[in-house]
Amino acid sequence: MKIIDEKVNIDGIDKTILNHLMEDARKPILEIARNLGISGAAIHQRLRKLEKAGLIEGSKLVINPRVLGYTTLAFVGVYLDKAISNPQAVKKLREIPEVLECHYTTGNWSIFLKILCRDNEHLMKVLNMNIQAIEGVSRTETFISLDQQIQRQIKV
Amino acid sequence: MKIIDEKVNIDGIDKTILNHLMEDARKPILEIARNLGISGAAIHQRLRKLEKAGLIEGSKLVINPRVLGYTTLAFVGVYLDKAISNPQAVKKLREIPEVLECHYTTGNWSIFLKILCRDNEHLMKVLNMNIQAIEGVSRTETFISLDQQIQRQIKV
DNA sequence: ACTGAAATCGTTGCTGC
DNA sequence: GCAGCAACGATTTCAGT
């Protein structure tokens, strides 16, 4: 766990830089620099400041899973028998590549998952063969995403 | 909607390139090239092929919302009165910056959201003032993420 | 906090294997 | 499908103000 003890003071220039790069992490720094009327070096200085403050975590290439044949996105609420089995369950869940997110949540479920599968048959297999097989998992409730309408990060 | 009609044939070299850049979209291409023992130009050729195939959607700078004071992540199931109001509801949801994801789902809810707020008070305000205020929204069920244990993309 | 300069890298297009 | 090369632009760092 990284400790963030740096004060973050973000001005409009920082926001402009971040908003550009949040859309396209490989957008040329000099292009942003020309838009802002400052030098490329100034942008780099600000980026280093924002990294040091812990605001910038990194960058990711975003792929379209449909092209790889992954078309079924689902959310799964997991009921666990006993609280003590949670960390072991998460460890097992981490070994299932279809599990993209895993949250401890308030409410009915102990654990809440986002999983991505090739199709419904694959989803059923992952649920029955992989997730239900984990010790402590008593029951699951599955919600299939028929269509995702919004996908974004928080506005800076 | 982009039409993907390209056949995708991804070999081990493509996978290596993608896995590197999915971890860090700004990782130097020449560094990857040296690891693989091929030229930088060859990597660029493959990246163009993968973009043309629609597998590469883009890249994103990933920020840590906690540094901006956003600490409460929640999932919200939304009940809508009538099916006809769904597109209008989504349109309104898009105007709420705290809404990061929005899915049409199978099961009890019409719509399922991921939302990010500064704290529980802010969450309550967004639920009561913004989401419940949307025409057609009859009820919501909220699950707060106490801790996110897994966050990743599908393995290529 | 920013500029300007200098070295390295990114990117494209070419020729040839 | 890849190498090697060339040309131009971008990245990155650092001294200087």
Side-chain angles (χ1 to χ4, degrees), chain A residues 25-26 55 57-58 60-62 64 96 99 101-104 106 114 144-147 149 152-153, chain B residues 25-26 55 57-62 64 96 99 101-104 106 114 144-147 149 152-153:
Chain A
R26 293 191 80 102
L55 178 55
E57 291 212 321
K60 291 194 189 312
L61 193 75
V62 181
N64 181 354
I96 304 172
V99 174
E101 295 186 24
C102 169
H103 304 258
Y104 291 125
T106 62
K114 184 197 266 190
I144 295 173
S145 171
L146 301 169
D147 193 19
Q149 295 278 334
R152 61 189 177 196
Q153 291 191 74
Chain B
R26 294 190 79 104
L55 178 55
E57 289 212 320
S59 61
K60 290 195 189 312
L61 194 74
V62 181
N64 181 355
I96 305 172
V99 173
E101 296 186 24
C102 169
H103 304 258
Y104 291 125
T106 62
K114 184 198 268 189
I144 295 173
S145 171
L146 301 169
D147 193 20
Q149 295 277 336
R152 60 190 177 196
Q153 291 191 74

Side-chain angles (χ1 to χ4, degrees), chain B residues 57-120:
Chain B
E57 289 212 320
S59 61
K60 290 195 189 312
L61 194 74
V62 181
I63 65 155
N64 181 355
R66 291 178 176 276
V67 177
L68 295 177
Y70 286 80
T71 59
T72 299
L73 180 66
F75 296 95
V76 181
V78 180
Y79 293 88
L80 289 181
D81 287 333
K82 32 190 174 355
I84 196 70
S85 58
N86 287 20
Q88 279 102 332
V90 172
K91 189 162 172 286
K92 291 288 182 188
L93 288 165
R94 208 179 290 276
E95 294 166 8
I96 305 172
E98 291 86 355
V99 173
L100 302 187
E101 296 186 24
C102 169
H103 304 258
Y104 291 125
T105 50
T106 62
N108 295 323
W109 308 305
S110 308
I111 284 176
F112 190 68
L113 308 175
K114 184 198 268 189
I115 76 181
L116 181 59
C117 295
R118 289 189 293 277
D119 48 31
N120 287 349

Side-chain angles (χ1 to χ4, degrees), chain A:
Chain A
M1 172 84 96
K2 190 189 285 183
I3 308 296
I4 311 296
D5 52 8
E6 204 76 29
K7 258 281 173 41
V8 218
N9 220 340
I10 298 168
D11 65 9
I13 295 178
D14 291 323
K15 288 186 183 179
T16 304
I17 297 167
L18 287 169
N19 281 323
H20 275 105
L21 294 176
M22 284 168 75
E23 288 294 314
D24 177 6
R26 293 191 80 102
K27 176 171 285 187
I29 305 291
L30 287 182
E31 192 180 320
I32 303 169
R34 281 189 293 266
N35 278 337
L36 286 167
I38 61 177
S39 68
I43 308 258
H44 281 282
Q45 277 182 20
R46 284 169 176 268
L47 285 172
R48 271 201 296 275
K49 178 194 72 178
L50 295 169
E51 275 170 18
K52 191 153 163 278
L55 178 55
I56 295 177
E57 291 212 321
S59 61
K60 291 194 189 312
L61 193 75
V62 181
I63 65 154
N64 181 354
R66 292 179 175 276
V67 177
L68 295 177
Y70 286 81
T71 59
T72 299
L73 180 66
F75 296 95
V76 181
V78 179
Y79 293 89
L80 289 180
D81 288 332
K82 29 188 176 355
I84 194 71
S85 58
N86 285 20
Q88 280 101 332
V90 172
K91 189 162 172 287
K92 290 290 182 187
L93 287 165
R94 209 178 290 275
E95 294 166 8
I96 304 172
E98 290 87 355
V99 174
L100 302 187
E101 295 186 24
C102 169
H103 304 258
Y104 291 125
T105 50
T106 62
N108 294 323
W109 307 304
S110 308
I111 284 176
F112 189 68
L113 307 175
K114 184 197 266 190
I115 76 181
L116 180 60
C117 296
R118 289 188 294 278
D119 48 32
N120 287 351
E121 191 183 354
H122 182 202
L123 171 60
M124 200 171 71
K125 199 178 143 210
V126 169
L127 286 169
N128 292 337
M129 310 286 285
N130 297 114
I131 294 175
Q132 296 276 12
I134 294 172
E135 197 187 326
V137 170
S138 60
R139 203 157 66 83
T140 61
E141 285 174 7
T142 303
F143 308 90
I144 295 173
S145 171
L146 301 169
D147 193 19
Q148 180 163 1
Q149 295 278 334
I150 300 176
Q151 169 71 287
R152 61 189 177 196
Q153 291 191 74
I154 202 75
K155 187 87 177 52
V156 295

